[in-house]
Amino acid sequence: MPINHLRHHERFDYRPITDRDDFRWPGDTRLAVYVGVNLEHFAFGEGRGPGIAPPAPEGEPDVLNYAWREYGNRVGAWRFLEMLEALSLPAGVIANTSILDHCPELLEAFVARGHELIGHGHTNAERQGQMSSSDEAALIARSRERLAAHFGTPPEGWLSPWISESDRTPDLLQEAGFSYTLNWAHDDRPVAMRTRHGQLLSIPYPQELNDIPTISTHRVSMNEFATMMRDQFLELLEQSRHQPLVMGIALHPWLTGQPFRLRLLRKVLSDLAGYREAEGVWWTTPGAIARHAARQIV
């Protein structure tokens, strides 16, 4: 009977975590930790987006869900900015370019304080994996060029809206000039991905330590989410005694920027921020992780 080989993505080979890397992060640290802040803007009266309630039975415009998400740009994100500054924590700001149309001062405030800018398509009301090849390539190129034109430096990294990919996405990202992607959540360390014209690094991005699937979808309480962050941190710190690892925390200001959740978020991040280089922890950004890893990974 012939062997039925399953379709493979051909982007990287299988490698167990027990096959350890022998380098360290800067400052002789072992665990690289980053906070990913997602700044998103959704079309009013059309497209898709997460909701605090089922879509309005009367159809669009769905004012309830639109307004809930808009709270993040008007209130929650500004509270995030204050919190990160108070804790001296850098962040990767994963931004739709539609933010530049809607509330450019918000993105400018994060960049002015030194946080890393990461491409996130134009809007989370659309999925790039459903686009034609030419439309997807144009979206990626336009997003990078527009952020570069506004801030003077192009983003190094990319996270697709809804983490939606086509078979060609890694190729298009590498060809557009991106050096890393956050789309793949398959490891606790950077992985070199093959593309048709060179290497693209995959930097771990969390799917469970992410407030949307955890709180909005699975209805986990903020108390439990805070416990998840603490336990993830302490367990990875222990595991990193043997090899360098990466931990990401994905936050959306319309969700964990709500005041009652923000209070617990600030508390747990304050506790974790007490661990620094002396304890083997590097608080950093995905771009800094990618740049360091690129010198170590072939």
Side-chain angles (χ1 to χ4, degrees):
M1 185 175 182
I3 298 174
N4 180 23
H5 291 289
L6 300 182
R7 181 174 179 241
H8 195 271
H9 49 75
E10 305 300 338
R11 297 295 181 183
F12 49 83
D13 301 323
Y14 173 77
R15 183 189 178 205
I17 195 69
T18 50
D19 181 11
R20 296 169 178 165
D21 296 312
D22 60 5
F23 67 88
R24 291 292 185 104
W25 298 119
D28 200 36
T29 53
R30 309 181 312 273
L31 180 62
V33 187
Y34 74 87
V35 177
V37 174
N38 291 262
L39 299 184
E40 302 165 347
H41 179 50
F42 299 83
F44 179 67
E46 61 183 53
R48 54 181 285 127
I52 194 172
E58 64 272 18
E60 297 288 3
D62 187 347
V63 172
L64 187 155
N65 285 317
Y66 176 88
W68 179 58
R69 297 189 296 262
E70 175 62 3
Y71 181 91
N73 293 328
R74 299 173 68 92
V75 182
W78 293 99
R79 300 303 186 216
F80 276 8
L81 188 62
E82 294 170 352
M83 174 185 67
L84 292 166
E85 190 164 16
L87 297 177
S88 298
L89 293 180
V93 182
I94 303 163
N96 292 158
T97 53
S98 59
I99 289 286
L100 294 176
D101 302 317
H102 181 59
C103 50
E105 60 268 43
L106 174 59
L107 193 50
E108 290 164 356
F110 274 90
V111 173
R113 287 166 175 79
H115 300 295
E116 182 197 358
L117 185 61
I118 299 168
H120 196 31
H122 182 59
T123 174
N124 271 45
E126 62 187 13
R127 296 176 64 92
Q128 73 184 75
Q130 297 174 336
M131 298 178 176
S132 68
S133 179
S134 59
D135 286 347
E136 184 183 9
L139 169 69
I140 292 169
R142 279 199 308 269
S143 297
R144 189 169 189 268
E145 291 163 4
R146 189 165 183 205
L147 292 173
H150 194 94
F151 294 103
T153 304
E156 301 173 68
W158 178 270
L159 178 72
S160 295
W162 293 99
I163 312 186
S164 174
E165 276 208 2
S166 68
D167 286 342
R168 60 193 170 263
T169 301
D171 301 312
L172 297 176
L173 290 174
Q174 192 274 338
E175 289 160 11
F178 288 96
S179 61
Y180 75 87
T181 177
L182 296 175
N183 282 354
W184 290 66
H186 63 287
D187 212 316
D188 285 333
R189 57 189 171 185
V191 173
M193 301 182 73
R194 294 184 289 265
T195 76
R196 57 196 175 197
H197 292 301
Q199 177 177 284
L200 181 74
L201 280 178
S202 169
I203 302 301
Y205 180 79
Q207 286 307 313
E208 297 207 51
L209 215 63
N210 183 322
D211 55 9
I212 288 184
T214 301
I215 296 174
S216 183
T217 303
H218 301 302
R219 306 301 182 188
V220 166
S221 72
M222 188 62 199
N223 277 295
E224 187 173 352
F225 188 55
T227 299
M228 289 169 60
M229 281 187 272
R230 185 176 288 105
D231 287 348
Q232 181 96 342
F233 179 90
L234 293 174
E235 178 64 22
L236 283 178
L237 183 57
E238 183 175 328
Q239 292 181 12
S240 71
R241 289 181 301 172
H242 307 294
Q243 64 191 114
L245 298 176
V246 176
M247 172 180 163
I249 301 169
L251 303 174
H252 297 75
W254 39 265
L255 190 54
T256 38
Q258 299 287 337
F260 70 98
R261 293 193 184 103
L262 178 68
R263 195 166 186 84
L264 279 169
L265 176 65
R266 186 187 297 111
K267 174 64 168 65
V268 69
L269 286 181
S270 178
D271 293 345
L272 299 184
Y275 293 78
R276 296 286 174 162
E277 284 191 8
E279 291 77 30
V281 177
W282 179 34
W283 286 95
T284 187
T285 63
I289 293 170
R291 289 190 297 274
H292 188 85
R295 298 192 291 268
Q296 310 291 336
I297 299 173
V298 179

